[in-house]
Amino acid sequence: MTDENTAPDGGLTAAEQAVLDEINEQNVDFLRLQFTDILGTVKNVAIPASQAAKAFEEGIYFDGSSIEGFVRIQESDMRLQPDPETFAVLPWRTTETGKAARMICDVMNTSTGEAFEGDPRYVLKKAIARAENMGYTLNAGPEPEFFVFENDEEGRATTTTHDVGGYFDLAPKDLASDLRRQIIYNLESMDFEVEASHHEVAEGQHEIDFKYDDALTTADNIATFRSVVRATAANNDLHATFMPKPIARINGSGMHTHLSLFDESGTNAFHDDDDEFNLSGVAKQFLAGILEHAPALTAVCNPTVNSYKRLVPGYEAPVYIAWSDVNRSALVRKPAARVPAASRIELRSPDPSCNPYLALAAMLHAGLDGIERGLEAPDPVRENIYEFDETKRDEYGIDTLPANLGEAVEALEADEVVQDALGEHVFPKFVEAKTQEFEEYIVEVSEWELDNYLETF
């Protein structure tokens, strides 16, 4: 018997043929074949929909040397292999002549015919395979936040917020409610299950939450979500950004990520009815792994210079390596769960500038390391850590996350587990890019420095 992902005679699989049928039914005339570079930037190659069968059978070739962190010029030919399970019509790209759709691709090495080790999607697939070998499947649920700004008369982005609403505000203060509604409609048309949306704490800041899924689907969804939000905003002459801290002295944008492991029987391996926190031994070992590798994880989950303008005390973003079941000042929180299947932990440090494939791969490897080594989670901290002084933090054994991208990269270079998550190709390329970014940043002179020092000294 042939399953939908196996071609019976070397031709198209059932899933691929279903895509061709939908292309005809939906009057799709162009396809965007999407992938991401090491830094998480979405790239795409557009082809006429008439070439879809050829793309499935032969792939689409491109110059990998032009993509950040992929390959050297002398080994540049790469191939995109579309994943038919990711086909979706782009709701904002409908014209009189037809529609556009996208498929997310795996990047293949043309010289070997195998998956390219520098493809972030492949990095996550390897992490997923490691978990499966241990009998687990990772489910992840992100909470991506973003800002919406006005454009100037020339169409360039400003930092003038589109509205002056606050946390959970309603119209008329929350002028972006119609925009959020459009975003949700577009997401739902692409088969997202949106669970909630609301105005966030800062003016112009918003959050839209979609249902958790397996790790690969979630990473694909995060990449798609960012594209949908930006495109919908642009169609309204606005600019949406996932920059972690676009405005000084207000809350930044995070992407709290909920994590849980399910075993081969489909049971939540993180749940234990008899535990005070309803967390199993496996969950606590996974949590301990996250805490132990938190400094190195920060380089991957908070990968920009700007990320560390958010990770400062006083703005709700976590900086202390601890966990809690009752407050949000800790790095990891245990949310309340109404049913056993909902037991999970929430890592609160990631921000939406991260490469979702690399970030989830790193989180998964860190947690699995905790399970493999039988690490013991510390006691939860139920007090507000923001109110602790240094002496009290030392008493509780609470360390802090790296203070800047340079420190985070140093932590990554000292952590073999997170290095292994990234792989032999991505790790050195990632470190090279981030080291260069930080070095460029530290030699720059900011407006703040000019304002405070130019006439004073």
Side-chain angles (χ1 to χ4, degrees):
M1 184 174 181
T2 303
D3 68 36
E4 66 173 4
N5 293 314
T6 302
D9 55 4
L12 297 180
T13 67
E16 292 168 345
Q17 184 58 52
V19 168
L20 299 187
D21 294 341
E22 190 165 358
I23 285 173
N24 291 327
E25 292 169 7
Q26 296 271 5
N27 191 29
V28 172
D29 59 356
F30 267 90
L31 286 174
R32 289 184 179 180
L33 304 184
Q34 175 183 309
F35 62 103
T36 67
D37 66 14
I38 286 176
L39 302 184
T41 304
V42 173
K43 306 289 186 178
N44 74 89
V45 175
I47 63 171
S50 59
Q51 298 296 306
K54 181 179 179 182
F56 284 133
E57 293 174 336
E58 302 177 13
I60 297 295
Y61 291 79
F62 71 102
D63 179 6
S65 67
S66 300
I67 305 301
E68 180 70 47
F70 268 26
V71 293
R72 296 168 296 182
I73 191 74
Q74 65 266 34
E75 50 189 32
S76 59
D77 285 343
M78 311 296 292
R79 180 168 60 86
L80 296 177
Q81 187 61 48
D83 181 347
E85 301 297 336
T86 64
F87 175 85
V89 174
L90 302 175
W92 63 89
R93 296 293 295 173
T94 299
T95 66
E96 293 181 1
T97 58
K99 301 175 182 178
R102 76 96 166 91
M103 282 188 285
I104 297 173
C105 299
D106 294 307
V107 182
M108 311 300 291
N109 190 320
T110 56
S111 62
T112 66
E114 298 178 350
F116 171 49
E117 291 188 354
D119 178 11
R121 202 168 189 255
Y122 176 67
V123 170
L124 179 55
K125 284 186 174 183
K126 285 199 303 180
I128 291 169
R130 180 187 175 197
E132 289 175 346
N133 288 336
M134 295 173 62
Y136 299 114
T137 298
L138 174 68
N139 282 336
E143 297 178 357
E145 298 169 341
F146 57 95
F147 279 86
V148 177
F149 295 121
E150 295 180 357
N151 291 323
D152 64 18
E153 293 179 355
E154 297 180 358
R156 294 176 300 190
T158 71
T159 53
T160 302
T161 59
H162 177 49
D163 68 272
V164 294
Y167 196 56
F168 274 75
D169 272 354
L170 295 172
K173 284 186 176 181
D174 180 8
L175 299 178
S177 57
D178 288 342
L179 177 64
R180 286 202 305 273
R181 188 179 299 114
Q182 289 179 39
I183 293 170
I184 291 170
Y185 288 156
N186 286 338
L187 290 169
E188 289 179 334
S189 75
M190 298 179 74
D191 294 327
F192 276 67
E193 185 173 339
V194 176
E195 295 187 324
S197 76
H198 61 84
H199 200 292
E200 260 297 339
V201 175
E203 295 179 2
Q205 187 183 33
H206 310 276
E207 179 179 315
I208 298 175
D209 301 330
F210 46 91
K211 188 177 180 181
Y212 74 89
D213 215 315
D214 67 88
L216 184 62
T217 301
T218 295
D220 287 342
N221 284 344
I222 293 170
T224 298
F225 176 84
R226 295 191 300 209
S227 297
V228 171
V229 170
R230 289 196 192 100
T232 309
N235 284 346
N236 286 272
D237 297 320
L238 298 166
H239 178 74
T241 181
F242 293 91
M243 179 179 178
K245 188 88 165 186
I247 302 177
R249 291 178 290 279
I250 67 173
N251 282 19
S253 291
M255 190 177 73
H256 305 160
T257 304
H258 298 253
L259 304 167
S260 58
L261 293 180
F262 280 64
D263 64 23
E264 294 171 320
S265 68
T267 301
N268 187 347
F270 274 16
H271 183 78
D272 184 349
D273 277 328
D274 298 325
D275 181 71
E276 178 183 2
F277 310 106
N278 292 134
L279 288 177
S280 68
V282 166
K284 291 178 180 178
Q285 291 170 349
F286 190 97
L287 189 160
I290 293 287
L291 295 180
E292 174 156 318
H293 298 288
L297 285 177
T298 307
V300 184
C301 297
N302 308 90
T304 70
V305 162
N306 183 253
S307 297
Y308 299 84
K309 303 296 177 72
R310 167 182 169 258
L311 294 178
V312 293
Y315 293 96
E316 296 190 6
V319 294
Y320 301 117
I321 302 175
W323 77 281
S324 179
D325 62 319
V326 294
N327 73 65
R328 290 171 165 79
S329 63
L331 177 67
V332 176
R333 185 173 74 97
K334 165 58 176 69
R338 294 183 298 274
V339 295
S343 288
R344 62 201 187 278
I345 62 171
E346 176 191 11
L347 181 60
R348 297 176 57 78
S349 57
D351 69 53
S353 71
C354 71
N355 183 322
Y357 302 98
L358 300 185
L360 286 173
M363 294 179 213
L364 182 52
H365 271 257
L368 294 178
D369 182 61
I371 295 173
E372 287 182 328
R373 293 166 54 201
L375 297 182
E376 186 174 340
D379 293 332
V381 180
R382 292 180 159 177
E383 301 161 76
N384 185 353
I385 307 175
Y386 293 142
E387 297 177 355
F388 287 12
D389 58 21
E390 186 174 353
T391 301
K392 192 166 186 178
R393 289 198 300 272
D394 289 342
E395 178 186 332
Y396 278 69
I398 298 173
D399 291 324
T400 60
L401 293 178
N404 55 57
L405 182 59
E407 291 184 7
V409 171
E410 288 178 359
L412 175 58
E413 291 180 299
D415 192 311
E416 293 183 359
V417 169
V418 181
Q419 290 177 32
D420 186 55
L422 300 181
E424 293 182 359
H425 182 100
V426 171
F427 164 65
K429 296 289 187 181
F430 184 86
V431 167
E432 179 184 359
K434 292 299 150 182
T435 299
Q436 179 180 345
E437 179 180 340
F438 186 66
E439 289 176 348
E440 290 177 358
Y441 167 69
I442 61 177
V443 299
E444 287 295 320
V445 177
S446 68
E447 285 298 321
W448 184 93
E449 292 168 283
L450 293 175
D451 291 342
N452 283 273
Y453 303 138
L454 186 61
E455 296 183 1
T456 302
F457 298 100

